[in-house]
Amino acid sequence: MVPRTSRWSSVLFRCGALLWSAGLLLPPSVQTMETECSRAPNIIFILADDLGWNDVGFHGSAQIPTPHLDALAYSGIILHRYYVNPICTPSRSALMTGKYPIHTGMQHTVLYAMEPRGLPLSEKLLPEYLKELGYSNHIVGKWHLGHYQLRYTPLQRGFDSHTGFWTGHQHMNDHTAVEHGHWGVDMRRDYDVAYDLHGKYTTHVITSEAVDIVNAHNDSAPLFLYVAHAAVHSANPYDFLPAPDKTVEELGRIENYRRRKFAAMMVELDRSVGQLVEALSARGMLENTVIVFSSDNGGPADGFNDNAASNWPLRGVKNTLWEGGVRAAGFVWSPLLCNVSRVSHQMMQVADWLPTLYEAAGGNVSALPEELDGISVWNELSSGAPTRRIEILHNIDDIWGTAAVTVGNWKLVKGSHYNRTWDGWYGPAGIRDDKAYSLEAIANSTTGQILDALELLPARERIVQLRREATVSCGAGAHMASDCNPLEAVCLYDVESDPCEYNNLAEEHAHIVQSLLARLADYNSTAVPPSNLDDDPRGEPQHWNYTWHNFGDDPEPEVLLIENDVA
């Protein structure tokens, strides 16, 4: 491990440099430290799939134990007004491109496995930018940005290796995906089908591969590791929430069995994070590392997608434009950040990660393309200063007739998905009593112990305070009918004072409604058409030995089957 004196020198220099950029004077002793701290940081981006706002301990619920994530969150920066897109593919496209999905054609629903399309090849992705800065780039887990030709897959989009899957979900034990009536294996090691991983729990596979990458990393180059979990997305109809029996048994206090299995999946993800932190620490890499944790969209609650997430007390679910669909559980952790152990109310959108991490890596953000929608907030996150992010486009989907935008504290919602079936508030709320929340579990976790040894874990009193600050509480009213029907008229909310979107203020503030409608029109004038295509029968897994395949690269499937039969 890096000696503590070196760590504090690095932190002191970086924070001093931040003050210098703000026009403050640096002590001479700090000015001489630049040579010690010139190494670009390692970047670990951990993306949970379909995680709800209320499915982590640091947001107030004591139902699902997440001590490793909580330890990092409390010693880092909890992102309280952090937004993603409402569903998988659009969010992942924004993360990789730094652009809103309306500007890449990825704004309507998800990319299905038999569609002959992918994230446009004209787009330069985050790992490609980082590669130019000397990074070694690796992805483990879910891609979901196109695979019908290999040129759309990770190894040809800036990554050096990929162990994981191309489609939108899989069963955690047999690694198959059922989609549109078709069934096929989807687990790859680079380009090859990883049949040898059959029967190994997906979260464990992702963990093992991520740890192996850390252990094998040549520290002459910085590491970018994208850990895109399958958890806690639902799986296949025969077993929607697969989790190890032992972990399910540990959570017997959760009475609802579906919720208990969901919780077990989340516990396994949390333990995965702990093992990754332990590996980084053992290699002496942790003290020069940035760790980002995020969900890709809000949680599918109350049986949506046959899942059991919770966004309580936020409104809506995955694939809706309510706060429960687009406001994400997330944090950023690093010893290189100055103003930490806090709850940030700085606005941030998932598209901001590309320029933010590019700047953290030492890149010149002024050299990034002007058409990016994301902005770098690296220095502002570190200092706590306000960011330039004052508005967020949540999405515009002209096929479904829905749109939402937030400017400052005002949010406009236009239209609704599913004919308003999922426009309500869904639990479980979870146990909110501070006494039910185990501070000992945080302190005794591997991550907690490592952070405590580095003198980075806050005192218990501060943890309690941070948890309270990061807990959304809206009072009574969550079971009352909304006073707004977005299918009939637009809805306006003050999400700073009313994050649960109880009170429609459109009539009282008609001028604000008109202003936000004008912003949506401005955005829509720059949109490209959605790129969605019908399923291509060539992609049916039965044509490719029951695997999801890069069907656009190979001969007609009938020819391939004949060749296989002859062989």
Side-chain angles (χ1 to χ4, degrees):
M1 182 168 295
V2 177
R4 187 168 297 173
T5 54
S6 175
R7 173 174 64 86
W8 288 122
S9 296
S10 175
V11 172
L12 191 58
F13 170 74
R14 290 178 184 270
C15 293
L18 192 61
L19 295 175
W20 174 262
S21 68
L24 301 177
L25 183 65
L26 279 175
S29 59
V30 177
Q31 292 177 356
T32 61
M33 295 177 186
E34 184 169 6
T35 56
E36 293 183 39
C37 315
S38 57
R39 288 188 303 140
N42 305 300
I43 298 171
I44 313 296
F45 198 106
I46 303 169
L47 191 66
D49 198 349
D50 284 4
L51 178 68
W53 174 267
N54 194 41
D55 295 328
V56 289
F58 63 83
H59 276 164
S61 174
Q63 186 179 51
I64 302 177
T66 55
H68 299 282
L69 287 168
D70 292 1
L72 288 169
Y74 296 135
S75 56
I77 300 171
I78 298 173
L79 303 173
H80 202 60
R81 292 201 68 190
Y82 166 54
Y83 290 91
V84 293
N85 292 96
I87 198 167
C88 300
T89 300
S91 269
R92 291 162 199 270
S93 72
L95 169 64
M96 286 290 134
T97 64
K99 294 182 179 181
Y100 288 138
I102 65 164
H103 293 144
T104 59
M106 311 301 282
Q107 65 268 49
H108 178 65
T109 189
V110 298
L111 196 159
Y112 291 106
M114 291 191 294
E115 283 188 82
R117 69 175 180 123
L119 184 61
L121 298 174
S122 57
E123 299 297 334
K124 186 175 180 179
L125 307 192
L126 174 59
E128 295 176 291
Y129 284 106
L130 293 178
K131 187 174 286 291
E132 293 177 349
L133 299 178
Y135 274 75
S136 174
N137 302 318
H138 303 270
I139 171 176
V140 291
K142 173 175 169 176
W143 177 236
H144 206 195
L145 290 174
H147 68 269
Y148 94 99
Q149 293 175 328
L150 290 180
R151 59 184 181 154
Y152 288 93
T153 60
L155 267 63
Q156 297 192 35
R157 305 303 298 264
F159 288 102
D160 301 314
S161 73
H162 177 216
T163 298
F165 54 108
W166 289 343
T167 61
H169 72 279
Q170 64 167 216
H171 190 276
M172 305 281 264
N173 293 317
D174 63 29
H175 307 148
T176 66
V178 175
E179 187 177 294
H180 294 178
H182 299 280
W183 173 91
V185 174
D186 187 20
M187 180 62 90
R188 299 271 168 170
R189 185 175 284 107
D190 295 333
Y191 295 132
D192 298 327
V193 180
Y195 291 108
D196 60 298
L197 295 176
H198 178 81
K200 297 181 180 179
Y201 192 65
T202 298
T203 302
H204 298 166
V205 170
I206 290 172
T207 305
S208 176
E209 293 290 327
V211 168
D212 285 350
I213 288 169
V214 169
N215 289 338
H217 179 65
N218 183 342
D219 59 11
S220 63
L223 171 66
F224 173 49
L225 177 56
Y226 177 34
V227 184
H229 278 280
V232 279
H233 197 295
S234 52
N236 294 333
Y238 51 85
D239 185 15
F240 276 117
L241 297 171
D245 291 341
K246 181 180 179 181
T247 312
V248 175
E249 185 179 355
E250 292 172 12
L251 298 167
R253 65 186 180 281
I254 301 176
E255 293 183 4
N256 182 288
Y257 187 61
R258 178 185 288 177
R259 178 66 174 172
R260 191 189 313 166
K261 292 191 75 178
F262 174 95
M265 294 170 71
M266 187 58 202
V267 165
E268 291 294 333
L269 189 156
D270 181 72
R271 291 171 178 171
S272 169
V273 172
Q275 292 179 55
L276 184 54
V277 170
E278 185 177 21
L280 290 164
S281 176
R283 282 294 313 276
M285 297 168 62
L286 190 60
E287 292 163 293
N288 189 42
T289 290
V290 177
I291 298 176
V292 177
F293 176 78
S294 172
S295 180
D296 62 343
N297 46 249
D302 202 43
F304 183 93
N305 279 11
D306 292 284
N307 213 319
S310 172
N311 302 308
W312 186 269
L314 302 180
R315 184 178 185 175
V317 297
K318 168 185 176 177
N319 206 21
T320 72
L321 292 171
W322 304 109
E323 292 290 282
V326 296
R327 190 167 174 177
F331 63 77
V332 56
W333 177 94
S334 179
L336 310 177
L337 292 165
C338 301
N339 189 2
V340 295
S341 292
R342 66 183 178 91
V343 177
S344 166
H345 289 263
Q346 298 155 302
M347 288 179 67
M348 189 173 181
Q349 210 269 345
V350 64
D352 293 335
W353 286 119
L354 187 152
T356 297
L357 296 176
Y358 185 74
E359 182 165 21
N364 178 7
V365 291
S366 64
L368 292 174
E370 292 182 1
E371 63 267 21
L372 294 189
D373 297 300
I375 62 172
S376 175
V377 294
W378 176 249
N379 287 330
E380 290 82 0
L381 284 174
S382 191
S383 68
T387 72
R388 294 186 292 112
R389 170 67 69 190
I390 60 171
E391 70 178 43
I392 291 173
L393 176 68
H394 299 297
N395 202 33
I396 299 174
D397 188 332
D398 286 335
I399 295 177
W400 282 352
T402 58
V405 64
T406 293
V407 178
N409 58 314
W410 294 108
K411 179 181 177 184
L412 185 85
V413 179
K414 179 181 178 182
S416 175
H417 298 173
Y418 308 106
N419 197 30
R420 303 202 64 211
T421 302
W422 294 100
D423 282 4
W425 296 263
Y426 311 97
I431 303 169
R432 297 279 162 173
D433 186 354
D434 284 348
K435 295 179 181 178
Y437 184 67
S438 177
L439 298 175
E440 288 76 16
I442 296 172
N444 294 332
S445 69
T446 304
T447 301
Q449 292 175 6
I450 290 170
L451 298 181
D452 188 52
L454 294 173
E455 300 179 358
L456 295 175
L457 190 68
R460 292 190 173 198
E461 295 77 10
R462 180 59 179 160
I463 288 176
V464 171
Q465 181 182 359
L466 288 169
R467 184 166 176 265
R468 288 174 179 169
E469 291 177 12
T471 299
V472 171
S473 180
C474 299
H479 297 289
M480 297 171 59
S482 170
D483 58 346
C484 176
N485 181 349
L487 293 177
E488 297 177 355
V490 297
C491 309
L492 180 71
Y493 300 94
D494 181 343
V495 289
E496 184 68 29
S497 62
D498 179 26
C500 297
E501 298 168 298
Y502 291 159
N503 303 305
N504 175 32
L505 302 175
E507 290 186 6
E508 295 94 317
H509 299 282
H511 63 293
I512 295 176
V513 168
Q514 293 306 312
S515 176
L516 297 186
L517 284 172
R519 288 300 298 134
L520 281 177
D522 287 343
Y523 276 119
N524 214 8
S525 69
T526 68
V528 300
S531 60
N532 306 74
L533 296 171
D534 292 336
D535 283 352
D536 188 329
R538 294 179 301 160
E540 295 175 2
Q542 58 264 37
H543 297 317
W544 311 103
N545 297 323
Y546 289 93
T547 66
W548 294 103
H549 191 70
N550 50 301
F551 57 90
D553 285 327
D554 284 324
E556 288 297 317
E558 291 81 9
V559 175
L560 185 63
L561 281 174
I562 291 171
E563 290 176 350
N564 285 343
D565 289 340
V566 171

